[in-house]
PDB file of all heavy atoms in Angstrom:
ATOM      1  N   GLU A  66      30.485  85.235  72.012  1.00 98.00           N
ATOM      2  CA  GLU A  66      29.776  84.385  72.959  1.00 98.00           C
ATOM      3  C   GLU A  66      30.706  83.563  73.929  1.00 98.00           C
ATOM      4  O   GLU A  66      30.304  83.323  75.019  1.00 98.00           O
ATOM      5  CB  GLU A  66      28.923  83.346  72.142  1.00 98.00           C
ATOM      6  CG  GLU A  66      27.801  83.928  71.320  1.00 98.00           C
ATOM      7  CD  GLU A  66      26.636  84.324  72.184  1.00 98.00           C
ATOM      8  OE1 GLU A  66      26.058  83.511  72.976  1.00 98.00           O
ATOM      9  OE2 GLU A  66      26.202  85.453  72.141  1.00 98.00           O
ATOM     10  N   GLU A  67      31.845  83.304  73.414  1.00 98.00           N
ATOM     11  CA  GLU A  67      32.832  82.493  74.219  1.00 98.00           C
ATOM     12  C   GLU A  67      34.217  82.727  73.711  1.00 98.00           C
ATOM     13  O   GLU A  67      34.453  83.019  72.528  1.00 98.00           O
ATOM     14  CB  GLU A  67      32.472  80.962  74.090  1.00 98.00           C
ATOM     15  CG  GLU A  67      33.234  80.071  74.930  1.00 98.00           C
ATOM     16  CD  GLU A  67      32.844  78.609  74.745  1.00 98.00           C
ATOM     17  OE1 GLU A  67      31.889  78.300  73.979  1.00 98.00           O
ATOM     18  OE2 GLU A  67      33.498  77.710  75.378  1.00 98.00           O
ATOM     19  N   ILE A  68      35.174  82.692  74.642  1.00 98.00           N
ATOM     20  CA  ILE A  68      36.544  82.929  74.241  1.00 98.00           C
ATOM     21  C   ILE A  68      37.485  81.841  74.859  1.00 98.00           C
ATOM     22  O   ILE A  68      37.163  81.227  75.897  1.00 98.00           O
ATOM     23  CB  ILE A  68      37.101  84.281  74.649  1.00 98.00           C
ATOM     24  CG1 ILE A  68      36.992  84.492  76.175  1.00 98.00           C
ATOM     25  CG2 ILE A  68      36.351  85.431  73.954  1.00 98.00           C
ATOM     26  CD1 ILE A  68      37.669  85.741  76.728  1.00 98.00           C
ATOM     27  N   GLY A  69      38.552  81.530  74.101  1.00 98.00           N
ATOM     28  CA  GLY A  69      39.547  80.628  74.596  1.00 98.00           C
ATOM     29  C   GLY A  69      40.347  81.264  75.752  1.00 98.00           C
ATOM     30  O   GLY A  69      40.371  82.476  75.942  1.00 98.00           O
ATOM     31  N   SER A  70      41.020  80.454  76.474  1.00 98.00           N
ATOM     32  CA  SER A  70      41.774  80.885  77.663  1.00 98.00           C
ATOM     33  C   SER A  70      42.865  81.920  77.318  1.00 98.00           C
ATOM     34  O   SER A  70      43.289  82.632  78.334  1.00 98.00           O
ATOM     35  CB  SER A  70      42.330  79.703  78.404  1.00 98.00           C
ATOM     36  OG  SER A  70      43.227  78.971  77.621  1.00 98.00           O
ATOM     37  N   GLU A  71      43.396  81.946  76.149  1.00 98.00           N
ATOM     38  CA  GLU A  71      44.456  82.910  75.819  1.00 98.00           C
ATOM     39  C   GLU A  71      43.982  84.152  75.028  1.00 98.00           C
ATOM     40  O   GLU A  71      44.782  84.960  74.637  1.00 98.00           O
ATOM     41  CB  GLU A  71      45.525  82.172  75.042  1.00 98.00           C
ATOM     42  CG  GLU A  71      46.238  81.077  75.788  1.00 98.00           C
ATOM     43  CD  GLU A  71      47.387  80.434  74.995  1.00 98.00           C
ATOM     44  OE1 GLU A  71      47.634  80.885  73.878  1.00 98.00           O
ATOM     45  OE2 GLU A  71      47.995  79.492  75.546  1.00 98.00           O
ATOM     46  N   VAL A  72      42.731  84.346  74.945  1.00 98.00           N
ATOM     47  CA  VAL A  72      42.129  85.497  74.199  1.00 98.00           C
ATOM     48  C   VAL A  72      41.975  86.655  75.299  1.00 98.00           C
ATOM     49  O   VAL A  72      41.445  86.455  76.386  1.00 98.00           O
ATOM     50  CB  VAL A  72      40.793  85.214  73.637  1.00 98.00           C
ATOM     51  CG1 VAL A  72      40.183  86.517  72.988  1.00 98.00           C
ATOM     52  CG2 VAL A  72      40.926  84.097  72.557  1.00 98.00           C
ATOM     53  N   SER A  73      42.545  87.854  74.900  1.00 98.00           N
ATOM     54  CA  SER A  73      42.586  88.911  75.872  1.00 98.00           C
ATOM     55  C   SER A  73      42.077  90.271  75.301  1.00 98.00           C
ATOM     56  O   SER A  73      41.790  91.142  76.112  1.00 98.00           O
ATOM     57  CB  SER A  73      44.041  89.191  76.354  1.00 98.00           C
ATOM     58  OG  SER A  73      44.884  89.499  75.282  1.00 98.00           O
ATOM     59  N   THR A  74      41.907  90.410  74.008  1.00 97.00           N
ATOM     60  CA  THR A  74      41.504  91.698  73.476  1.00 97.00           C
ATOM     61  C   THR A  74      40.034  91.885  73.308  1.00 97.00           C
ATOM     62  O   THR A  74      39.554  92.998  73.127  1.00 97.00           O
ATOM     63  CB  THR A  74      42.224  91.967  72.113  1.00 97.00           C
ATOM     64  OG1 THR A  74      41.755  91.010  71.109  1.00 97.00           O
ATOM     65  CG2 THR A  74      43.683  91.900  72.260  1.00 97.00           C
ATOM     66  N   VAL A  75      39.280  90.763  73.316  1.00 98.00           N
ATOM     67  CA  VAL A  75      37.828  90.849  73.288  1.00 98.00           C
ATOM     68  C   VAL A  75      37.219  89.986  74.359  1.00 98.00           C
ATOM     69  O   VAL A  75      37.913  89.069  74.876  1.00 98.00           O
ATOM     70  CB  VAL A  75      37.242  90.398  71.899  1.00 98.00           C
ATOM     71  CG1 VAL A  75      37.717  91.309  70.790  1.00 98.00           C
ATOM     72  CG2 VAL A  75      37.623  88.942  71.631  1.00 98.00           C
ATOM     73  N   LYS A  76      36.000  90.326  74.770  1.00 98.00           N
ATOM     74  CA  LYS A  76      35.348  89.519  75.839  1.00 98.00           C
ATOM     75  C   LYS A  76      33.912  89.169  75.436  1.00 98.00           C
ATOM     76  O   LYS A  76      33.367  89.803  74.534  1.00 98.00           O
ATOM     77  CB  LYS A  76      35.392  90.354  77.159  1.00 98.00           C
ATOM     78  CG  LYS A  76      34.617  91.625  77.136  1.00 98.00           C
ATOM     79  CD  LYS A  76      34.781  92.380  78.406  1.00 98.00           C
ATOM     80  CE  LYS A  76      33.906  93.665  78.399  1.00 98.00           C
ATOM     81  NZ  LYS A  76      34.225  94.600  77.256  1.00 98.00           N
ATOM     82  N   ARG A  77      33.335  88.338  76.178  1.00 98.00           N
ATOM     83  CA  ARG A  77      31.950  87.904  75.982  1.00 98.00           C
ATOM     84  C   ARG A  77      31.062  89.203  75.976  1.00 98.00           C
ATOM     85  O   ARG A  77      31.145  90.044  76.873  1.00 98.00           O
ATOM     86  CB  ARG A  77      31.484  86.911  76.983  1.00 98.00           C
ATOM     87  CG  ARG A  77      30.123  86.354  76.732  1.00 98.00           C
ATOM     88  CD  ARG A  77      29.751  85.264  77.749  1.00 98.00           C
ATOM     89  NE  ARG A  77      28.441  84.723  77.411  1.00 98.00           N
ATOM     90  CZ  ARG A  77      27.831  83.806  78.221  1.00 98.00           C
ATOM     91  NH1 ARG A  77      28.451  83.320  79.248  1.00 98.00           N
ATOM     92  NH2 ARG A  77      26.632  83.371  77.873  1.00 98.00           N
TER      93      ARG A  77
END
Side-chain angles (χ1 to χ4, degrees):
E66 293 285 306
E67 187 180 356
I68 58 174
S70 60
E71 294 184 2
V72 175
S73 61
T74 64
V75 296
K76 63 183 183 302
R77 186 177 181 182

